[in-house]
Amino acid sequence: MPTLTIDGIEVEVENGTTVLQAAEQVGIEIPRFCYHERLSIAGNCRMCLVEVTPGPPKPAASCALPAGEGMVVKTNSQKVRKFREGVMEFLLINHPLDCPVCDQGGECDLQDQSMAYGVGDSRYKEKRRLVKEKYMGPLIRTIMTRCIHCTRCVRFADEVAGVPSLGAIGRGENMQITTYQEQAFQSELSGNVVDLCPVGALTSKPYTFKARPWELTNTETIDVHDALGSNIRIDSRGRAVMRALPRIHEEVNEEWISDKTRHAVDGLAKNRLDRPYVKKGGKLQPVSWKEAFDIIAKKLKGLSGDQIAGLVGDLCDAESMYAFKALMSSLGASVECRQDGSKVGAKHRVGYLFNSGVTGIDEADACLIIGSNPRKESPVLNARLRQRWLSRKCKVANVGPDVDLSYKVEQLGDSAAILKDILDGKNDFAKVLKSAEKPMLILGQGALNRDDSPAIINLAHDIAEKYGLIKDDWNGFNVLHTAASRVAALDMGLIRDGGVKAILEGAEKGDIKVVYNLGADELDTTKLKKAFVIYQGSHGDEGVRHADVILPGVAYTEKPGTYINTEGRVQRALRAVFGPGEAREDWTIFRALSEVLGKTLNFDDIAALRQVMEKDYPHFGVIDEKPDEEWADFGVSGKLSKDGFTLPITDFYGTNPIARASETMAECRAVMNGANHTEGATGTNG
């Protein structure tokens, strides 16, 4: 391990550490534009120049210079300052003076560094470079004259997103960053290049000219568009959500988020439910909360518990589901959370968690994907799988439809019978699992929503036991959920015999008289026509189609809540804005309705609710820790179907009511499906 001296501070670092990284270890910040700790080193911008001895008299780029034994580094000498002023002068030669109208203003690395190292005037009198704007799709606005060729976006596309559609053409002052043939940047993670861009060359197209950072209120919260639980920051102005940005969480999403997380926020303001409605004469009419509650109470009077059923949607927080369960239990009724028809049970927690954890992917040396397309079901997790694959230390195989995961996968076929072959050692990938030190499997919802899913779960369980996926320090059995509410709902036991199918069939036959739907919009509600349907949610989506009473809830940005991600990590979200009109937090609606029904719930505020919830489920109070569950037997042996796997997500941009209400997501869907846009032809940004 080399020892070097940086600005008079002696530091010992690991082999392979760069001078820039060594400086950061002792708290010395070196300016940079092209360097990013999650991307490969390019050494383009030269802003990180330092003075190094022993060595040649010329400056050295600290981002690309390995720390060596006995080095003496000066990062803030007069000579170094002169170096950086010269680099800054070159960078500003062609950069337009449009900070007042640039959306990067106030958050621009170039702006900040020019304040520190700008010389105040320019000696450049020649013709300045102008670059035509490029078309990169509906999410990225380009002003490429501002580009300083740091290539962060190119490296992200190639290394993290796995979609190498960005690159450089030309040389010298004629170099330009563009997509090939100026097509849309077709990645579920494309919006992250806006965060990476250190200047205003790439900005958010939906956010163009909407707000300045100093006008916004920042709220740290949790994403609900998939089950990963990405840590995000909601920026709001007044009661309007302006944008969503990633927060760094090394064990969950690092610093990336999906395009749906980032850009579906415009759907929060559209198609909203803002007052109670009751169906009168075949038409929905606005009513008061009291009248809506009285009608519900009248309808429930005299009904037995088996004539009432509850449904839970994919975006619900734990507090709402706990209050819902408590209310339905007081009526003798049960609640079902698996609206997609999943057969996963709730008896053993280890049987429905991503047990290795997201960071466990970084250690795995073999991965078997079963009935899942992680690229659409959890793009950020899929990027982590790609990073592990890039290390050449992990072999990946897939059982299910042949899909593009952005990395090479050994396609084993689209039949559940392949799992039996692997268990019996008849498939070559069985040898890979057997020889691996830390093998893992990922069981997707496409494997869990079939009639033979219990048998598939049992096979996956036996494969895990036979091939060393279960060890003292390693659990490679993983279930990848797609619903943010699912793990918490399973923890509470929100399942009933027959699942959602039994509820729909019971309602169709007339056996179930009342269905209380808490935000379940991903099912066919036509079978609920005969039942009295109470819908409680934030958006007017599929759930309200045959609803008799509508109670307006609030969206995830409008309430504090607890969410448990696919690995079982408990996370707390905060309220960013208040809901529209008369919309209320879901748990408060249940509390008020329970009083009308004469079944008053035993909490009056969210603190009291969390107290009783954590008393019943103590792990709900263990915040931001990945659990380690004890291995158990689960799954049921049975006959396998010959049918291929059906993946749960075919439309990434429309998986929930918020995304379907989003105009930005609709435009993304059109572009990704090959729609012709005049923007693509002209290269303008509209």
Side-chain angles (χ1 to χ4, degrees):
M1 296 175 67
T3 301
L4 65 159
T5 303
I6 305 176
D7 290 348
I9 303 173
E10 191 174 277
V11 57
E12 186 180 32
V13 297
E14 294 182 3
N15 291 325
T17 303
T18 64
V19 170
L20 187 147
Q21 292 168 333
E24 287 187 337
Q25 288 184 25
V26 293
I28 298 172
E29 183 179 355
I30 297 177
R32 82 293 298 267
F33 292 118
C34 68
Y35 174 80
H36 192 278
E37 54 270 17
R38 303 191 198 277
L39 304 175
S40 61
I41 294 171
N44 292 344
C45 72
R46 319 309 284 180
M47 194 65 196
C48 65
L49 293 176
V50 294
E51 194 177 348
V52 180
T53 54
K58 65 179 182 180
S62 60
C63 70
L65 179 66
E69 180 67 36
M71 271 186 177
V72 178
V73 180
K74 295 180 181 179
T75 71
N76 201 27
S77 65
Q78 191 61 37
K79 196 174 181 180
V80 167
R81 184 170 187 84
K82 196 68 176 177
F83 296 157
R84 293 175 185 165
E85 287 177 354
V87 170
M88 180 60 68
E89 190 174 2
F90 273 110
L91 290 176
L92 294 177
I93 279 175
N94 293 305
H95 196 83
L97 301 176
D98 56 357
C99 294
V101 295
C102 176
D103 273 318
Q104 198 83 340
E107 300 172 313
C108 176
D109 292 346
L110 183 65
Q111 199 175 54
D112 294 340
Q113 296 301 335
S114 65
M115 287 292 292
Y117 298 102
V119 294
D121 59 2
S122 175
R123 296 174 287 174
Y124 190 75
K125 306 300 181 185
E126 318 303 325
K127 185 178 179 181
R128 294 175 180 269
R129 174 177 63 98
L130 295 174
V131 182
K132 188 188 77 164
E133 297 172 6
K134 310 297 182 184
Y135 176 70
M136 291 190 183
L139 302 180
I140 304 169
R141 181 172 184 255
T142 63
I143 305 92
M144 300 312 291
T145 302
R146 299 172 183 163
C147 180
I148 62 170
H149 303 157
C150 72
T151 69
R152 279 187 180 183
C153 56
V154 176
R155 285 174 283 149
F156 173 84
D158 189 35
E159 298 166 13
V160 180
V163 183
S165 58
L166 287 180
I169 58 174
R171 298 185 68 185
E173 69 171 7
N174 296 319
M175 178 178 169
Q176 298 181 25
I177 304 294
T178 183
T179 55
Y180 297 116
Q181 298 182 334
E182 296 199 20
Q183 299 297 311
F185 181 12
Q186 298 199 8
S187 169
E188 296 78 15
L189 299 168
S190 65
N192 290 289
V193 298
V194 172
D195 294 337
L196 288 172
C197 185
V199 296
L202 305 178
T203 57
S204 171
K205 189 179 287 187
Y207 183 67
T208 300
F209 303 143
K210 292 291 178 64
R212 287 299 197 184
W214 52 84
E215 301 175 323
L216 304 176
T217 300
N218 313 134
T219 306
E220 295 183 350
T221 188
I222 305 298
D223 172 52
V224 300
H225 288 284
D226 58 35
L228 183 63
S230 295
N231 284 230
I232 60 172
R233 189 187 87 195
I234 294 294
D235 288 355
S236 58
R237 184 173 60 189
R239 299 185 70 167
V241 172
M242 305 304 295
R243 62 179 180 178
L245 296 175
R247 288 190 290 128
I248 295 176
H249 194 305
E250 298 292 349
E251 296 183 357
V252 179
N253 58 301
E254 295 181 300
E255 61 183 83
W256 317 124
I257 55 173
S258 73
D259 289 345
K260 186 163 52 181
T261 300
R262 186 184 298 269
H263 289 293
V265 291
D266 64 321
L268 291 166
K270 298 178 175 65
N271 205 24
R272 292 301 302 270
L273 301 174
D274 60 357
R275 66 187 67 181
Y277 288 88
V278 169
K279 188 173 286 185
K280 297 179 179 179
K283 293 185 178 180
L284 289 168
Q285 304 290 339
V287 296
S288 66
W289 280 100
K290 183 179 184 305
E291 184 177 351
F293 284 166
D294 288 343
I295 290 172
I296 293 171
K298 185 178 180 181
K299 199 69 183 180
L300 290 172
K301 189 174 182 180
L303 294 182
S304 60
D306 59 358
Q307 293 177 306
I308 307 168
L311 288 169
V312 165
D314 292 347
L315 308 182
C316 297
D317 58 288
E319 288 84 355
S320 300
M321 292 187 290
Y322 182 84
F324 187 34
K325 179 187 178 182
L327 178 63
M328 296 300 282
S329 295
S330 70
L331 299 171
S334 57
V335 180
E336 175 58 62
C337 69
R338 303 166 299 178
Q339 63 169 327
D340 55 3
S342 171
K343 306 299 188 298
V344 67
K347 186 176 180 181
H348 298 291
R349 201 168 190 240
V350 72
Y352 58 83
L353 294 184
F354 202 95
N355 292 288
S356 67
V358 177
T359 54
I361 293 171
D362 302 339
E363 304 175 45
D365 48 1
C367 179
L368 176 63
I369 300 173
I370 306 169
S372 177
N373 180 357
R375 182 171 172 180
K376 292 189 180 296
E377 295 166 27
S378 185
V380 178
L381 182 140
N382 188 65
R384 201 142 190 167
L385 279 167
R386 173 177 167 77
Q387 291 296 300
R388 184 58 179 166
W389 173 82
L390 282 174
S391 71
R392 301 180 184 272
K393 296 179 181 178
C394 183
K395 294 182 179 179
V396 185
N398 180 48
V399 177
D402 189 2
V403 292
D404 178 12
L405 296 179
S406 75
Y407 45 90
K408 288 184 180 179
V409 174
E410 183 181 347
Q411 182 64 31
L412 302 182
D414 188 17
S415 170
I418 295 169
L419 299 177
K420 187 72 169 61
D421 291 341
I422 292 174
L423 182 63
D424 295 339
K426 297 177 182 178
N427 188 286
D428 289 342
F429 198 72
K431 299 176 184 176
V432 175
L433 291 173
K434 189 173 183 178
S435 61
E437 292 184 7
K438 289 189 174 181
M440 65 186 292
L441 64 81
I442 297 176
L443 204 58
Q445 297 303 305
L448 301 176
N449 57 14
R450 300 157 49 105
D451 291 336
D452 63 348
S453 289
I456 292 176
I457 295 170
N458 186 65
L459 280 172
H461 172 278
D462 292 346
I463 288 171
E465 285 195 337
K466 181 175 181 179
Y467 293 108
L469 276 71
I470 311 300
K471 301 176 182 177
D472 291 340
D473 61 342
W474 178 253
N475 186 337
F477 183 90
N478 300 304
V479 174
L480 179 59
H481 292 283
T482 56
S485 64
R486 186 63 51 84
V487 172
L490 291 172
D491 285 348
M492 295 182 196
L494 301 186
I495 62 175
R496 55 178 285 164
D497 292 340
V500 69
K501 184 179 179 181
I503 294 176
L504 296 177
E505 290 177 352
E508 194 173 31
K509 292 176 183 177
D511 296 335
I512 295 178
K513 306 294 185 183
V514 174
V515 175
Y516 201 133
N517 183 344
L518 177 59
D521 293 282
E522 317 308 319
L523 46 77
D524 181 9
T525 59
T526 55
K527 293 186 177 182
L528 300 178
K529 287 182 180 180
K530 292 183 181 179
F532 183 84
V533 178
I534 306 161
Y535 178 80
Q536 182 173 317
S538 61
H539 284 68
D541 203 76
E542 176 64 25
V544 306
R545 192 179 298 278
H546 300 290
D548 296 283
V549 175
I550 297 174
L551 304 178
V554 294
Y556 72 103
T557 55
E558 298 158 0
K559 59 184 174 182
T562 303
Y563 297 92
I564 305 182
N565 76 349
T566 191
E567 60 181 356
R569 184 185 300 270
V570 180
Q571 300 188 104
R572 288 270 167 85
L574 300 177
R575 179 195 291 115
V577 295
F578 287 93
E582 298 179 44
R584 298 291 182 266
E585 293 176 36
D586 292 310
W587 75 265
T588 64
I589 297 174
F590 294 127
R591 173 61 179 79
L593 179 58
S594 71
E595 200 166 325
V596 174
L597 297 176
K599 310 282 187 179
T600 305
L601 299 178
N602 62 336
F603 45 81
D604 296 321
D605 54 46
I606 195 167
L609 190 160
R610 285 176 174 167
Q611 188 175 11
V612 295
M613 181 174 71
E614 291 169 15
K615 182 178 180 182
D616 289 346
Y617 309 102
H619 65 277
F620 278 54
V622 183
I623 306 300
D624 200 25
E625 290 185 16
K626 187 194 84 66
D628 292 317
E629 299 295 330
E630 186 176 347
W631 187 243
D633 288 328
F634 49 83
V636 180
S637 60
K639 189 176 180 180
L640 296 175
S641 169
K642 295 181 180 179
D643 296 336
F645 291 91
T646 301
L647 298 178
I649 296 179
T650 54
D651 177 15
F652 170 74
Y653 299 102
T655 56
N656 58 63
I658 298 172
R660 287 190 288 272
S662 166
E663 293 179 2
T664 304
M665 293 296 98
E667 190 173 355
C668 287
R669 183 184 305 112
V671 170
M672 299 312 171
N673 289 339
N676 291 321
H677 280 240
T678 55
E679 287 185 332
T682 63
T684 62
N685 284 289

